Amino acid sequence: MVVTRFAPSPTGYLHIGGLRTALFSWLWARKNGGNFLLRIEDTDMKRNSEDAMKAILEAFDWVGLDYDAEVVYQSKRFGLYAEYIERLLEEGKAYRCYMGKDELDALRQEQMARGERPRYDGRYRDFDGTPPEGVQPVIRIKAPLEGEIVFSDGIKGEIRIAATEVDDFIIARSDGTPTYNFVVAIDDALMGLTDVIRGDDHLYNTPKQLVVYEALGFTPPRFYHVPMINNEEGRKLSKRDGALDVMEYRKMGYLPEALLNFLVRLGWSRGDQEIFSIEEMLEYFDPSNINKSASSYNLDKLVWLNGHYINNTTNERLASLLKEDFDMDISGHDRVEFLLDATKTRSKTLVELRDNIELIIESPEEYDPKAFKKAFKGEAHEILADFARRLQSYEGELHLPTEYHRVMEEFVKEREIGFGKIGQPLRVALLGRMTGPGMDEVMAILGVRESVERISRLLSRLEELKAQ
RNA sequence: GGCCCCUUCAUCUAGCGGUUAGGAUUCCAGGUUUUCAUCCUGGCCACAGGAGUUCGAGUCUCCUAGGGGUCACCA
């Protein structure tokens, strides 16, 4: 049985790095038919963990990650932690330290001045005298004095930290509340974690947590420390690096499967494969194949993946995504299929898709001057007028793009002109610009009537200009 | 600064002692197309540096440099 977890602190929202470790943990649990648990590290009590959890679950829901059992809030388990603190105190594995904050700071200053590593000096470790008056003690755990703490990381291999690097760290503050490294170890053990997949930045917490495991007689899980994701400058990805809230990606028009695919390939790979469905991720993912080095995220690849997924998503789903996320309801349009077929290959995001659709279904208000000028040289005006008449004669008979295409073909053949001669003027008339989907597709979407109308509008505009 | 981790094209990466160092994205060129996009073809671009070990090193060892992480009564 594999049990993994995602244990964020309540900082407000889920960012891209968090989602990646969550994805890794989720994949590993689901792949092995195990459990994926959620816990919120809110021993600090300063932030609103309910709202933070809500934001995280919203993001999970969007990308399709689910979890088992109930969310564990550490703030609701203080009684439990207190029992363990008491036990360690009784067993002499932890002790009260009466050193005040100021005193501690002074000690650190001294050590730094001497070029030493700042650490607690253990002065109350074996204290049995009379405690100073009026000082609320903190509780410290006895860390080993010598030797080294060794553990095998599933990604980095064997990690050895000298015991002198780990001091008797505080497990309970003077107000009695427990601290992070203490409760993490307890909860991971109690929740039955077998595999802890977390960020690289926790590597140094591991020896501390191992001290707790040892003191309490718990069996540690297997650890996997996933390298960080850096920003494009190669620096640590911070929350200020722009739109890093996972939900921002939704607003920018990314598909959840594209985002997940992008993230899973950051630090993990399987040969040359770039595209992974969730099923494939579940089939192939293994945390021990995760890279040792940090990666930096680069939007180009995500954009490309998103384009790929949009291109390969059914029109039905695209229509419903546009409705849900971008307030565009095209379900009433009688040529939805043609409309999406014509626009999806030209869109890298749903935002672009929406814009491209708008460009077609809304009659052009004005014409791109450059395109206009370029398209209407020579006899273009006359050709277009002629084509409009031809089109009109087919009203009610044309439906498919191929049928419109045949009309165009016939037309250029009779007039002995190239496709470009009619294509460009027509495009400006229908779309107002010189780029866009094929004219047969556009006409099939608009229908004969609307197409002719748009042509007429341009033609009369042309007359106006001539009159001036 | 101490300790720990990391280092293959601009970016994501393959490589697990013998390869013309592969793929993808970006960029460039060509093809397809009535235009644009998609798509297809091709091109540019990398083993951080230096010592070893070895018949042979991107792959193993050490050193240097660079990057990152961490050193709280935060998590």
Side-chain angles (χ1 to χ4, degrees):
Chain A
M1 180 73 161
V2 167
V3 182
T4 64
R5 47 81 160 175
F6 180 58
S9 56
T11 47
Y13 59 80
L14 181 63
H15 64 92
I16 209 83
L19 179 58
R20 187 183 60 150
T21 49
L23 173 63
F24 285 167
S25 297
W26 181 86
L27 284 173
W28 190 228
R30 289 284 171 268
K31 177 196 178 83
N32 292 289
N35 287 147
F36 174 63
L37 307 175
L38 237 42
R39 181 176 74 220
I40 193 137
E41 321 251 275
D42 56 352
T43 51
D44 169 342
M45 310 287 282
K46 282 172 199 150
R47 303 148 179 161
N48 187 328
S49 36
E50 296 285 342
D51 282 355
M53 201 65 229
K54 243 174 84 181
I56 287 161
L57 291 180
E58 189 191 11
F60 267 37
D61 189 52
W62 178 57
V63 298
L65 296 189
D66 58 352
Y67 61 98
D68 301 294
E70 274 180 43
V71 177
V72 172
Y73 288 85
Q74 292 185 322
S75 56
K76 294 179 182 157
R77 293 158 68 89
F78 280 6
L80 178 74
Y81 307 133
E83 285 174 32
Y84 282 102
I85 289 170
E86 202 48 48
R87 195 175 117 192
L88 290 181
L89 243 22
E90 277 168 24
E91 292 173 359
K93 291 174 178 170
Y95 59 93
R96 293 184 176 79
C97 169
Y98 296 89
M99 201 170 175
K101 240 189 147 163
D102 297 340
E103 247 181 308
L104 204 51
D105 283 342
L107 175 67
R108 287 207 186 96
Q109 290 297 333
E110 268 178 56
Q111 290 169 326
M112 300 255 261
R114 267 181 278 148
E116 288 169 20
R117 162 189 159 69
R119 70 197 292 279
Y120 175 65
D121 61 6
R123 65 179 67 174
Y124 283 97
R125 186 172 168 120
D126 299 307
F127 181 74
D128 57 1
T130 315
E133 293 273 324
V135 179
Q136 276 299 322
V138 297
I139 315 287
R140 289 181 181 274
I141 192 166
K142 285 184 180 172
L145 264 15
E146 53 190 32
E148 48 186 7
I149 298 172
V150 182
F151 68 97
S152 168
D153 187 272
I155 294 172
K156 312 242 180 204
E158 191 179 79
I159 306 287
R160 304 176 155 268
I161 312 270
T164 50
E165 292 296 318
V166 180
D167 60 9
D168 290 352
F169 61 96
I170 292 170
I171 58 173
R173 304 179 180 94
S174 45
D175 66 1
T177 57
T179 59
Y180 174 75
N181 282 119
F182 184 61
V183 298
V184 165
I186 291 175
D187 285 335
D188 281 345
L190 261 33
M191 290 164 74
L193 270 292
T194 59
D195 297 72
V196 168
I197 300 172
R198 74 213 320 188
D200 217 346
D201 49 343
H202 285 285
L203 194 67
Y204 236 76
N205 286 322
T206 308
K208 290 186 178 181
Q209 289 165 20
L210 253 13
V211 169
V212 178
Y213 277 97
E214 174 70 26
L216 259 17
F218 292 141
T219 308
R222 185 161 177 79
F223 293 101
Y224 298 87
H225 287 98
V226 182
M228 304 277 91
I229 301 175
N230 293 141
N231 62 24
E232 279 162 288
E233 287 80 47
R235 303 264 148 200
K236 186 186 181 184
L237 208 53
S238 85
K239 303 208 167 181
R240 294 179 309 169
D241 275 322
L244 291 172
D245 178 355
V246 167
M247 296 313 279
E248 284 296 315
Y249 287 85
R250 180 183 197 174
K251 289 183 196 144
M252 292 187 284
Y254 291 101
L255 261 34
E257 58 267 41
L259 187 60
L260 257 24
N261 194 149
F262 172 69
L263 289 177
V264 84
R265 284 284 290 101
L266 241 41
W268 178 82
S269 62
R270 190 182 91 98
D272 286 343
Q273 189 170 349
E274 295 290 345
I275 307 292
F276 290 89
S277 63
I278 296 291
E279 291 70 32
E280 288 173 310
M281 291 181 201
L282 285 168
E283 191 177 347
Y284 302 123
F285 181 75
D286 187 322
S288 51
N289 291 337
I290 293 173
N291 270 185
K292 290 179 174 183
S293 54
S295 42
S296 52
Y297 98 137
N298 172 269
L299 242 37
D300 287 342
K301 199 113 179 199
L302 175 59
V303 168
W304 171 75
L305 277 166
N306 205 50
H308 168 85
Y309 279 103
I310 285 179
N311 222 327
N312 289 281
T313 293
T314 62
N315 290 341
E316 192 186 354
R317 183 153 106 92
L318 288 176
S320 82
L321 284 171
L322 286 172
K323 190 173 174 183
E324 277 169 41
D325 297 348
F326 297 95
D327 201 33
M328 172 181 262
D329 189 354
I330 50 173
S331 58
H333 197 280
D334 53 1
R335 294 283 188 274
V336 189
E337 290 296 320
F338 297 157
L339 187 55
L340 286 166
D341 283 345
T343 47
K344 67 206 278 191
T345 58
R346 271 161 267 261
S347 310
K348 299 288 193 192
T349 65
L350 292 173
V351 171
E352 281 180 27
L353 183 65
R354 183 244 276 143
D355 293 347
N356 286 332
I357 288 172
E358 243 165 35
L359 220 55
I360 295 175
I361 57 180
E362 279 169 25
S363 188
E365 305 227 331
E366 51 194 57
Y367 304 104
D368 174 45
K370 251 180 156 172
F372 194 85
K373 212 171 154 189
K374 197 172 169 192
F376 292 97
K377 285 178 192 159
E379 49 174 10
H381 169 232
E382 190 260 319
I383 292 175
L384 190 57
D386 195 14
F387 181 74
R389 282 190 290 276
R390 170 67 59 95
L391 201 55
Q392 183 67 61
S393 73
Y394 282 107
E395 180 159 18
E397 294 172 34
L398 305 175
H399 303 284
L400 303 173
T402 50
E403 292 167 352
Y404 282 90
H405 190 77
R406 218 168 296 137
V407 173
M408 286 179 77
E409 237 168 18
E410 196 181 277
F411 182 78
V412 297
K413 203 170 165 192
E414 279 176 28
R415 297 214 38 151
E416 297 183 325
I417 53 174
F419 255 104
K421 285 281 184 208
I422 180 62
Q424 287 297 10
L426 187 56
R427 175 165 292 103
V428 174
L430 299 183
L431 302 177
R433 54 214 294 267
M434 55 182 162
T435 60
M439 286 298 95
D440 41 10
E441 294 173 278
V442 174
M443 288 189 288
I445 292 163
L446 299 177
V448 167
R449 206 167 154 179
E450 171 71 11
S451 300
V452 171
E453 209 169 296
R454 288 189 188 187
I455 295 170
S456 308
R457 206 169 308 148
L458 180 132
L459 255 22
S460 51
R461 177 71 184 281
L462 223 44
E463 292 301 329
E464 281 170 33
L465 287 172
K466 220 186 263 177
Q468 281 175 12

